[in-house]
Amino acid sequence: MAKRIDVKDLNLFYGKFHAVDGVSLAVPPRNVTAFIGPSGCGKSTVLRSLNRMHEVIPGARAEGKVLLDGEDIYATTVDPVSVRRTIGMVFQRPNPFPTMSIRDNVVAGLKLAGERDRKKLDEVAERALRGANLWAEVKDRLNRPGGGLSGGQQQRLCIARAIAVQPDVLLMDEPCSALDPISTLAIEDLIQELKKDYTIVIVTHNMQQAARVSDQTAFFNLAGVGQPGRLIELDDTERIFSNPSQKATEDYISGRFG
Ligand SMILES: Nc1ncnc2c1ncn2[C@@H]1O[C@H](COP(=O)(O)OP(=O)(O)O)[C@@H](O)[C@H]1O
Ligand SMILES: [Mg+2]
């Protein structure tokens, strides 16, 4: 199997607290991987470690390897800022810059990187907004503030902002949890489109969503309060939801706990 992301024996800490124990998993290119499991089992922590956002938290530490196309993103020679450009992230609550224009929200990363050519920035903004299925709704108000959009539109704006810098991988942490059902379906459709170009890892507490959008599903669990989270199994989504190999997975997906 071709591997875009290859995680090897990853251990994650917050100070002395061992939050996640020994995770190994691989993600093929142009694939959607869902992380599911009860609250506190480390899904967000693992996700943030995939683009070195974990270490931004004071006292937080990662041990182990995360290979992107065979290169360890934790190697001492690697610049974490460039990692975050290659592996973009979309958060639970849409977080556009509220007073900044829709257009400038999308190209904020490029401008930060020094791009000043107006025509180029306009082209990138249009391409990213089209890619995020938002262009038709905002093309006549690109100079209006991003904060004026609906929640679902704001989340698609954040996706446009993430893809504007042409990442290889998109990480999404419960991207629909603040959205209504219609906006949620719009994001799920968008994920299916984006998968043609990007590798996507999505955390979701919604098992139907995992079943709808993902190709493979990773189930995480923890033995108890204060215990580290662990990856219990990773398999094709169909398999996880029909015939998982671990009893804990079956109990979780059938709603017996969590
Ligand atoms: N910033 C933080 N500082 C200290 N502990 C944290 C922090 N973020 C998460 N944790 C702890 O790490 C564990 C895993 O959390 P998290 O990754 O957020 O779980 P999930 O996303 O599966 O709900 C939990 O015990 C949580 O309390
Ligand atoms: Mg979380």
Side-chain angles (χ1 to χ4, degrees):
M1 173 181 92
K3 296 171 184 175
R4 173 124 285 175
I5 301 174
D6 193 5
V7 175
K8 295 187 171 180
D9 197 21
L10 188 65
N11 284 273
L12 301 166
F13 303 84
Y14 293 101
K16 288 202 169 67
F17 176 53
H18 189 187
V20 175
D21 184 36
V23 167
S24 297
L25 61 85
V27 177
R30 296 189 166 81
N31 164 293
V32 180
T33 299
F35 287 180
I36 63 168
S39 183
C41 67
K43 304 179 297 295
S44 297
T45 302
V46 173
L47 193 75
R48 284 195 298 265
S49 73
L50 301 183
N51 75 343
R52 297 189 60 171
M53 287 288 280
H54 174 64
E55 70 203 53
V56 170
I57 297 161
R61 195 161 52 81
E63 279 176 12
K65 282 189 175 157
V66 177
L67 309 182
L68 175 69
D69 295 326
E71 304 277 345
D72 186 8
I73 65 168
Y74 282 95
T76 49
T77 48
V78 172
D79 171 16
V81 175
S82 77
V83 169
R84 289 170 207 141
R85 246 197 309 275
T86 316
I87 307 179
M89 193 152 190
V90 175
F91 300 87
Q92 209 162 343
R93 301 213 150 260
N95 61 347
F97 306 111
T99 57
M100 191 185 274
S101 73
I102 291 168
R103 169 192 179 274
D104 284 354
N105 259 286
V106 178
V107 295
L110 282 176
K111 284 176 96 172
L112 209 62
E115 181 61 60
R116 287 286 171 273
D117 181 345
R118 225 196 128 80
K119 194 160 163 275
K120 167 102 193 280
L121 290 172
D122 284 342
E123 279 170 16
V124 170
E126 177 170 345
R127 195 181 334 121
L129 286 165
R130 283 187 189 280
N133 281 346
L134 188 58
W135 177 249
E137 289 157 71
V138 301
K139 65 182 179 3
D140 300 321
R141 47 167 165 159
L142 293 174
N143 293 315
R144 305 264 280 281
L149 298 172
S150 73
Q153 290 172 327
Q154 287 188 21
Q155 195 60 302
R156 279 178 285 145
L157 179 62
C158 293
I159 292 170
R161 183 173 66 190
I163 63 179
V165 294
Q166 299 190 290
D168 293 331
V169 178
L170 274 179
L171 307 177
M172 301 185 172
D173 195 350
E174 301 196 19
C176 303
S177 64
L179 305 181
D180 60 79
I182 304 256
S183 306
T184 296
L185 285 180
I187 301 280
E188 290 183 5
D189 286 347
L190 175 56
I191 290 171
Q192 293 308 312
E193 282 298 309
L194 292 171
K195 167 181 137 167
K196 294 172 190 158
D197 297 309
Y198 303 96
T199 301
I200 297 171
V201 183
I202 179 173
V203 172
T204 177
H205 63 257
N206 178 332
M207 283 188 276
Q208 286 75 29
Q209 178 165 75
R212 282 193 298 262
V213 304
S214 73
D215 302 298
Q216 58 172 10
T217 295
F219 171 63
F220 292 84
N221 201 4
L222 76 178
V225 182
Q227 297 291 312
R230 285 200 170 82
L231 174 64
I232 304 300
E233 64 179 310
L234 167 68
D235 211 329
D236 290 344
T237 296
E238 236 181 81
R239 179 92 203 251
I240 289 283
F241 285 98
S242 62
N243 187 20
S245 68
Q246 300 298 314
K247 179 159 188 310
T249 312
E250 188 173 348
D251 287 349
Y252 184 74
I253 60 147
S254 61
R256 276 196 276 273
F257 78 95

